[in-house]
Amino acid sequence: MLFSFLYQCGDAFAFLVIASMGLAVIFGMMGVINLAHGEFITCGAYVTVALARGGLPLPLAILGGALAAGLIGMVLERLVIRRLYARPLDSIVATWGLSMIATQGILIVLGSTMPGVGTPMGSFVVGSFSYSSYRLLLMAVAVGLLVGLYLLFYHTRFGVVSRATIQNARMAQAVGVDTGRIYTLTFGLGAALAGLAGGLYAPTMTLVPTMGVTFMVESFVTVVIGGGDIFLGAAPAAAILAVIRATLTMWHGQLFGQIGLLITVIIVIRLLPGGVSGWILGSRR
């Protein structure tokens, strides 16, 4: 039972981290509330399955799904999002419209469902319970994503330039930074991370045009509780929510786990308006 609880905590943590990283980059760093986040995840999942069924190895298919979502994100940033950075409410409406177009477009073109590829790597047994080996891989991927993003944003020139652009675009432009290019690449990175989430979880779920909703609510819950900082916010928030979700799920089922997440959001927003990262940064000062 202890291993089962730890496994569920790790599984929930992996899901929350992987699902929310793209949203955390776009919202936490750029201030854009991207309601099309779920559709980027759907794009990654559909492209991954299409490539895998076409004969490409699953790891390469997942990377292909992430790349496709990233490219679409960069195009949308150039055509739509770029004009709305100073108008956050308009960006909400615009991305919501894009999500509706994408969902209905997939439904019309590809139908109401798409055959999957099956969960790889088999399972293992501990005691009287059987567990998916692929879920363990997803836990390792979640940790790897956090480490990789930390190295990207704090130990590379792109990361320094990206953070400088988002903090003060005019000053960055004055010293020769192509801020338009940085915005495009950063938004594309967030979209690619969303596509990666879809690709990673595509083998574990049924593909339908509205599958992004499954990720959307918990992604926003994680980012809202975490606050604006990806590493000081999203990661601790995911860990806290994973324990709450696993505990309530084992106690009284999955529905209670979902309710627990929403109640946690209400409490945190009331007590910590800046989220976990705002509280951590405030205590340091």
Side-chain angles (χ1 to χ4, degrees):
M1 292 299 293
L2 176 61
F3 180 83
S4 178
F5 175 72
L6 294 176
Y7 180 89
Q8 288 195 42
C9 286
D11 186 31
F13 174 78
F15 180 85
L16 293 170
V17 167
I18 294 172
S20 65
M21 278 294 96
L23 186 65
V25 168
I26 292 175
F27 173 66
M29 295 191 65
M30 304 180 68
V32 176
I33 302 175
N34 179 25
L35 294 186
H37 177 69
E39 281 59 49
F40 286 119
I41 292 175
T42 303
C43 171
Y46 269 74
V47 172
T48 295
V49 170
L51 293 176
R53 291 176 66 84
L56 202 64
L58 184 60
L60 294 180
I62 292 172
L63 292 178
L67 180 61
L71 291 174
I72 292 173
M74 287 192 287
V75 171
L76 291 177
E77 193 279 338
R78 286 278 185 175
L79 297 178
V80 180
I81 307 299
R82 174 164 299 190
R83 314 175 199 285
L84 304 174
Y85 285 125
R87 296 150 56 189
L89 295 180
D90 291 347
S91 70
I92 294 175
V93 176
T95 53
W96 176 73
L98 290 172
S99 73
M100 296 293 291
I101 293 170
T103 300
Q104 296 305 312
I106 293 173
L107 178 62
I108 293 170
V109 175
L110 299 178
S112 59
T113 187
M114 182 177 183
V117 293
T119 305
M121 299 178 63
S123 61
F124 63 97
V125 176
V126 176
S128 58
F129 297 98
S130 178
Y131 303 92
S132 169
S133 300
Y134 185 68
R135 298 279 181 175
L136 288 179
L137 176 62
L138 293 178
M139 298 176 201
V141 169
V143 175
L145 271 178
L146 289 171
V147 174
L149 286 176
Y150 175 79
L151 294 175
L152 175 65
F153 283 112
Y154 288 93
H155 294 279
T156 66
R157 184 179 183 278
F158 169 77
V160 173
V161 171
S162 176
R163 288 186 291 117
T165 298
I166 289 160
Q167 290 175 10
N168 193 327
R170 291 184 178 180
M171 183 61 71
Q173 194 171 20
V175 297
V177 175
D178 186 350
T179 55
R181 178 172 172 268
I182 295 299
Y183 276 126
T184 300
L185 291 175
T186 305
F187 193 92
L189 173 63
L193 288 170
L196 179 63
L200 287 170
Y201 279 95
T204 69
M205 53 196 312
T206 302
L207 269 63
V208 295
T210 57
M211 63 176 289
V213 177
T214 306
F215 297 81
M216 191 71 170
V217 174
E218 298 189 25
S219 299
F220 268 98
V221 165
T222 305
V223 172
V224 167
I225 290 180
D229 191 285
I230 301 173
F231 308 104
L232 294 179
I240 294 169
L241 292 172
V243 173
I244 293 172
R245 177 177 170 181
T247 302
L248 293 176
T249 298
M250 289 191 68
W251 173 54
H252 219 69
Q254 189 172 0
L255 178 60
F256 270 70
Q258 298 287 345
I259 293 172
L261 295 186
L262 298 179
I263 292 175
T264 303
V265 173
I266 295 171
I267 295 173
V268 170
I269 290 176
R270 180 66 181 89
L271 299 178
L272 302 173
V276 174
S277 62
W279 174 72
I280 294 175
L281 294 173
S283 63
R284 286 182 177 179
R285 297 190 185 99

